[in-house]
Amino acid sequence: MSQNVTLIATAAMGLEAIVGKEVKALGYEDVQVENGRVFFEADVSAIPRANLWLRTADRVKLQVGRFKATSFDQLFEQTKALPWEDFIAEEGEFPVVGKSVKSKLYSVPDCQSIVKKAIVERLKVKHGATSWLKETGALHRVEVAIHKDEALLTLDTSGSGLHKRGYRVGQGEAPLKETLAAALVQITNWHPDHPFVDPFCGSGTIAIEAALIGQNIAPGFNREFASEDWHFIPQQAWEDAFQEAEEAANYDQPLNIVGSDIDPELIDISKKNAMEAGLGDLISWKQMQISDFNPKQDNGYVVSNPPYGERMGEREEVEQMYRDLGTIMRDHPSWSIYVLTSHEGFEKLYGKPATKRRKLFNGFIKTDYYQYFGKHVKAKPTSGKGFSV
Ligand SMILES: C[S@@+](CC[C@H](N)C(=O)[O-])C[C@H]1O[C@@H](n2cnc3c(N)ncnc32)[C@H](O)[C@@H]1O
C-alpha cells in the first residue's frame, strides 16, 4: 500500500487555527483548516507523531474516503470500493459509529449498519476469509460522518481523546479540558523565562500544560494510542516518534510557574497531578485567595479560568474576585493577563477593556478569552529546539 495518508486532527470550535499551527510546526505542509477539522497529507509515521505532539487537537483520524451519497445504495457501493484491507487486518475489530447533519441519509443507525456491511464484504474478499470475520484483533473505530450529503469515512487513530494525557488523577468541580488549557497557554506569547501564574488553578491543568509546553514535553508521552497495534504502521515509526519526543524534551529549562487556589484540597490534587505528569516539584503550588495575590517579579503572565458566577448565590462573590484581580494587576503593568470567563461584565469589573478578546467554547459554555498585554514584555526569544509553537 501507499505510505501516504490523509489525516484529520479534529478540534473544538474556535481552536482549529491553533491546531493547524501545531500541525505545521510538526513539519507537515499541505494543511487545510475547516470547521472542527484540520486535514493534512503525510507519511504514516505522522500518525505516531501527531498523536504524541498535538496539544490542542481532540483526536487524530485517518481518512479512508470522502464522497457524495444521497442513497443507501451509493453509501454501500462507495464504502465497499475503498481499500479497507490496507488499514484493517483480517483479525481487526471495527465497530462503526456515525453522525449525520443536514443530509438525505439522516438515519444514523442505518448508515452505520450499511457501512459495516460494506466493509465486511470488502474485507472478506480481500483477506480471503472463508467464514465470518472474528474481529478479535486491534481496535479500529470507524466513523461515518455525513454532512450536507457528503460522507467522510475515517478510522480513529487516537483511542481515548487526546485530552487524556494520563496525568489527571484527581479533579475539582469544573476542570478545564487539557487541550483547551494548552490552547490558552499557546494563545499567549509566554516564554518559559517569564513568570507564569494561575491564581484560580483548581486541579492545576493550566499550570501543568504550561510546564509541558515550557519544557517541550510531548503531551502524549505517558499514554497509549489505539493505532499502536495497527499492522500498516511499522513498529519502528512508534519507536522513532517516542525517541524523538525524548530527545526534544528540554528538562533543563528552568520554570517559574505557580498555581494557587483558595481550596487546599485542590492544591493537594494539583500536586498529585503534576507528580503524575512527571513534573515532580517543578511547579510551585500555594493555597491562597485572589485578594492576597501580590506579584513580586516583572514581565509575568497570569493565565486563568476563574469561576464564572453562573451558580446561584456565587455571582457577587465572583464579581468581587474580578475587581480584586483588576486592582492588583493595575500596579503591575508589565504583566500580561489572560482570563477565560463567560461573565460578560468581566472587563467592567476588572476595570479596563481587554487588548484583545477571543471567543472560545469551554465545553458547551460560550466564553471570552480576555487578553491584556503587559507593557514591558520583551520579544519572545526563538527556540532552536523541538516543535514548540
Ligand atoms: C473554574 S475553577 C478552575 C478549574 C481549573 N482550571 C482546572 O482545570 O481544574 C475555579 C477555581 O477558583 C477557585 N476559587 C474560588 N474562589 C477563589 C478565590 N477567592 N481565590 C482563589 N481561588 C478561588 C475555586 O476553588 C476553583 O478551583
Side-chain angles (χ1 to χ4, degrees):
M1 66 164 289
S2 139
Q3 285 293 292
N4 266 345
V5 284
T6 301
L7 297 177
I8 306 166
T10 60
M13 216 192 307
L15 296 189
E16 297 91 339
I18 299 171
V19 172
K21 220 170 138 189
E22 282 200 282
V23 170
K24 283 185 194 152
L26 282 173
Y28 304 113
E29 277 159 15
D30 190 8
V31 178
Q32 281 171 40
V33 177
E34 285 184 9
N35 271 349
R37 298 166 175 156
V38 174
F39 290 79
F40 59 107
E41 306 282 330
D43 183 83
V44 287
S45 66
I47 296 175
R49 294 186 74 233
N51 273 300
L52 263 174
W53 279 104
L54 293 181
R55 298 181 193 278
T56 58
D58 284 338
R59 284 170 191 281
V60 178
K61 295 180 179 175
L62 184 153
Q63 176 178 313
V64 184
R66 197 174 190 181
F67 50 79
K68 204 162 168 65
T70 50
S71 70
F72 288 136
D73 203 37
Q74 283 173 359
L75 181 63
F76 182 83
E77 290 304 332
Q78 292 183 92
T79 301
K80 201 175 136 192
L82 296 170
W84 294 99
E85 66 282 2
D86 286 351
F87 307 113
I88 305 176
E90 189 173 347
E91 308 277 295
E93 183 189 358
F94 54 102
V96 180
V97 296
K99 55 187 178 197
S100 174
V101 178
K102 295 183 187 157
S103 299
K104 285 214 174 75
L105 300 179
Y106 60 84
S107 165
V108 173
D110 285 336
C111 292
Q112 287 172 191
S113 52
I114 280 160
V115 165
K116 178 83 189 185
K117 211 170 148 208
I119 303 174
V120 168
E121 280 202 13
R122 170 93 188 189
L123 289 183
K124 275 176 88 171
V125 173
K126 294 289 175 183
H127 289 317
T130 45
S131 60
W132 65 86
L133 297 166
K134 293 193 191 77
E135 296 199 42
T136 51
L139 176 68
H140 302 65
R141 203 172 66 118
V142 176
E143 184 184 67
V144 46
I146 309 180
H147 184 247
K148 293 188 181 159
D149 297 326
E150 187 184 65
L152 176 64
L153 287 161
T154 57
L155 293 173
D156 172 20
T157 75
S158 301
S160 46
L162 294 181
H163 67 285
K164 298 217 167 140
R165 319 288 208 210
Y167 66 68
R168 205 197 286 274
V169 284
Q171 61 185 56
E173 255 181 47
L176 268 191
K177 235 175 154 178
E178 294 79 345
T179 40
L180 177 58
L184 296 186
V185 178
Q186 285 184 336
I187 287 169
T188 75
N189 65 345
W190 173 70
H191 182 271
D193 291 340
H194 294 272
F196 183 105
V197 182
D198 178 0
F200 300 95
C201 73
S203 52
T205 324
I206 297 175
I208 291 171
E209 290 298 322
L212 296 177
I213 290 169
Q215 292 201 333
N216 204 32
I217 297 170
F221 201 73
N222 283 322
R223 57 161 280 170
E224 291 176 348
F225 304 97
S227 50
E228 280 182 52
D229 297 325
W230 290 5
H231 73 291
F232 67 94
I233 308 174
Q235 211 45 45
Q236 193 62 44
W238 285 101
E239 282 165 27
D240 290 349
F242 275 92
Q243 177 70 25
E244 181 184 41
E246 183 65 46
E247 284 166 13
N250 184 2
Y251 300 114
D252 295 331
Q253 170 64 53
L255 297 174
N256 184 350
I257 301 180
V258 178
S260 60
D261 197 285
I262 197 167
D263 184 340
E265 267 180 50
L266 288 170
I267 293 303
D268 281 346
I269 289 175
S270 292
K271 278 184 192 161
K272 286 187 187 130
N273 288 344
M275 202 58 86
E276 198 62 33
L279 297 168
D281 52 10
L282 273 171
I283 302 173
S284 308
W285 303 104
K286 191 169 159 188
Q287 187 271 322
M288 185 183 73
Q289 58 182 4
I290 190 63
S291 52
D292 292 336
F293 180 40
N294 181 18
K296 296 276 190 295
Q297 295 154 302
D298 286 329
N299 293 331
Y301 285 71
V302 168
V303 180
S304 204
N305 165 227
Y308 299 167
E310 288 185 342
R311 268 187 310 197
M312 292 272 289
E314 82 168 10
R315 199 160 177 93
E316 256 182 52
E317 203 185 323
V318 162
E319 291 183 347
Q320 188 53 43
M321 288 178 218
Y322 295 173
R323 276 190 211 102
D324 287 345
L325 182 64
T327 308
I328 294 162
M329 297 324 296
R330 205 169 303 147
D331 294 335
H332 301 278
S334 72
W335 279 63
S336 297
I337 319 298
Y338 294 79
V339 172
L340 184 77
T341 177
S342 65
H343 193 311
E344 290 178 358
F346 178 78
E347 287 165 298
K348 221 171 163 197
L349 294 157
Y350 184 84
K352 203 163 105 173
T355 324
K356 221 172 155 183
R357 275 170 30 173
R358 184 172 181 145
K359 298 228 166 291
L360 289 175
F361 274 88
N362 177 4
F364 292 110
I365 308 173
K366 223 168 125 188
T367 58
D368 274 289
Y369 193 34
Y370 296 93
Q371 307 167 45
Y372 297 87
F373 299 166
K375 278 205 180 121
H376 304 290
V377 177
K378 292 178 215 133
K380 182 177 173 179
T382 41
S383 155
K385 258 193 152 180
F387 317 103
S388 43
V389 290

